[in-house]
Amino acid sequence: MKRILITGKNSYIGESVEKWLMKEPENYQVDTIDMKDGSWKEQDFSIYDVVFHVAGIAHVSSDPKMEELYYKVNRDLTIETAKKAKHEGVKQFIFMSSIIVYGDSSSNKRIINRETIPTPSNFYGNSKLQAEEGIRPLESGDYKVVVIRPPMIYGKGSKGNYPKLSKLAQRTPIFPDIKNERSMLHIDNLCEFIKLMIDNEETGLFFPQNAEYVSTSNLVKTIAVVHGKKIKVTRLFNPLLRQMFGIKIINKVFGNFTYEKKMSKNIEGNYQIRGFKKSIVLTEREVKKDESGYC
């Protein structure tokens, strides 16, 4: 049995992974811990095989007053936790970083490969990158360090940009038809990925993503269909939108940001258990297994 400690109690990813692993209580024992005060420092890490560190500030902010807090939480707390885990004999430390270490999406086709150098464009991305740089030297023969740089994570109850697009898809009758490509990761695929990281006792840098790239227009249209809404996608607004690239919100919604697909297949086992359409159905409504007919 693997004993796992998840930092970041009540976090979306932490709770999702906990529920996923506890489907097999004979194989996993999972505890969670709140990192908001200093009491975690008194926690005995020595009883755990794995620390899955998801505690951190997840949203992007441009408020300069927040910069110090981002580095304190996303960088310093991560490094301190990793050092404690190693000192107390934990065998594996798994850190949730982000694709944001590569900067922003682009109006042109952008495919990140293993040779792509991280270029964070804000202190959120930089705090994540500096956390990576602080924990990777801790790796040794008896202490495995896993760094995960996922793209946008979505699923039922998720936060961030996906819920905003979902609300828009249910309300608007028309949406721009721009052929962009983005890597995404459904929460079930992430949970299965984390399970494989633990089972395989992996170490290194990883880039999980769904099997399919997604265009924003197709995403919005698919969400609308799930809710029984009719939506028309049109290229009428494309010339104007292309002139607006460089504006943050336009880049975020219609930009290109993908991982090279072969980067995401270098582990033993298949974690891509949800196809795109089925993942949207599972995200947008409660359904019985295979009720939707999607796969």
Side-chain angles (χ1 to χ4, degrees):
M1 175 179 285
K2 295 276 188 175
R3 297 164 299 176
I4 299 127
L5 177 66
I6 300 177
T7 70
K9 193 171 185 177
N10 300 321
S11 66
Y12 176 66
I13 293 175
E15 283 191 339
S16 298
V17 171
E18 179 185 12
K19 290 176 182 177
W20 194 263
L21 294 176
M22 289 314 297
K23 292 177 181 179
E24 302 177 29
E26 70 280 6
N27 294 325
Y28 308 100
Q29 175 190 318
V30 182
D31 294 324
T32 60
I33 187 172
D34 195 333
M35 307 288 281
K36 292 179 181 178
D37 59 35
S39 61
W40 66 271
K41 297 177 183 179
E42 307 304 318
Q43 177 85 17
D44 182 9
F45 280 19
S46 68
I47 63 175
Y48 299 104
D49 301 297
V50 180
V51 170
F52 178 41
H53 186 66
V54 295
I57 305 175
H59 62 278
V60 177
S61 173
S62 58
D63 183 353
K65 295 180 181 178
M66 294 288 291
E67 183 170 2
E68 183 178 352
L69 180 62
Y70 270 73
Y71 285 107
K72 181 178 179 180
V73 175
N74 288 351
R75 178 192 62 193
D76 299 344
L77 181 63
T78 299
I79 296 171
E80 190 176 0
T81 307
K83 286 180 176 179
K84 175 177 169 64
K86 180 174 183 177
H87 178 72
E88 297 186 16
V90 175
K91 298 174 183 176
Q92 186 185 44
F93 186 84
I94 303 175
F95 171 56
M96 287 293 292
S97 186
S98 171
I99 194 174
I100 202 69
V101 301
Y102 293 105
D104 300 320
S105 54
S106 168
S107 58
N108 299 315
K109 189 169 184 176
R110 186 180 183 198
I111 301 178
I112 297 164
N113 59 39
R114 284 192 172 273
E115 285 67 52
T116 303
I117 298 173
T119 52
S121 61
N122 52 55
F123 47 77
Y124 169 54
N126 199 36
S127 66
K128 286 289 189 179
L129 182 60
Q130 289 189 21
E132 292 182 19
E133 293 169 344
I135 66 174
R136 292 178 76 176
L138 298 174
E139 185 171 344
S140 61
D142 55 0
Y143 187 61
K144 300 179 184 298
V145 175
V146 173
V147 173
I148 301 171
R149 293 177 180 169
M152 183 176 78
I153 297 166
Y154 67 102
K156 196 162 191 69
S158 62
K159 299 177 181 180
N161 294 323
Y162 180 92
K164 297 175 184 176
L165 284 173
S166 176
K167 288 181 181 179
L168 180 62
Q170 296 173 59
R171 295 172 181 172
T172 184
I174 192 169
F175 194 81
D177 184 14
I178 290 183
K179 303 301 181 184
N180 65 324
E181 289 186 332
R182 302 189 72 91
S183 291
M184 294 175 61
L185 182 63
H186 184 254
I187 188 63
D188 288 356
N189 290 341
L190 172 63
C191 289
E192 184 64 15
F193 181 84
I194 298 300
K195 179 175 178 290
L196 289 174
M197 292 289 102
I198 295 169
D199 290 348
N200 298 347
E201 299 182 356
E202 297 280 3
T203 186
L205 179 60
F206 295 89
F207 311 86
Q209 63 179 327
N210 291 348
E212 310 100 319
Y213 294 149
V214 179
S215 72
T216 306
S217 59
N218 188 41
L219 172 61
V220 169
K221 187 175 182 179
T222 303
I223 293 171
V225 169
V226 169
H227 289 278
K229 306 289 184 180
K230 290 186 178 181
I231 188 170
K232 180 180 180 181
V233 293
T234 176
R235 297 182 182 179
L236 180 64
F237 308 109
N238 288 18
L240 176 61
L241 287 171
R242 294 196 184 283
Q243 291 180 22
M244 295 173 67
F245 269 101
I247 299 175
K248 189 173 182 179
I249 186 63
I250 300 299
N251 279 21
K252 186 174 288 188
V253 175
F254 297 107
N256 294 274
F257 211 10
T258 59
Y259 281 133
E260 188 177 56
K261 289 188 177 181
K262 66 180 181 180
M263 292 170 65
S264 306
K265 299 178 180 179
N266 61 332
I267 68 168
E268 181 180 345
N270 176 34
Y271 66 89
Q272 294 171 333
I273 58 175
R274 305 291 186 222
F276 169 66
K277 290 183 179 179
K278 179 64 177 290
S279 76
I280 299 302
V281 171
L282 292 174
T283 300
E284 294 299 321
R285 63 181 183 181
E286 294 288 351
V287 294
K288 296 179 182 178
K289 187 177 181 181
D290 295 330
E291 176 184 303
S292 67
Y294 286 125
C295 61

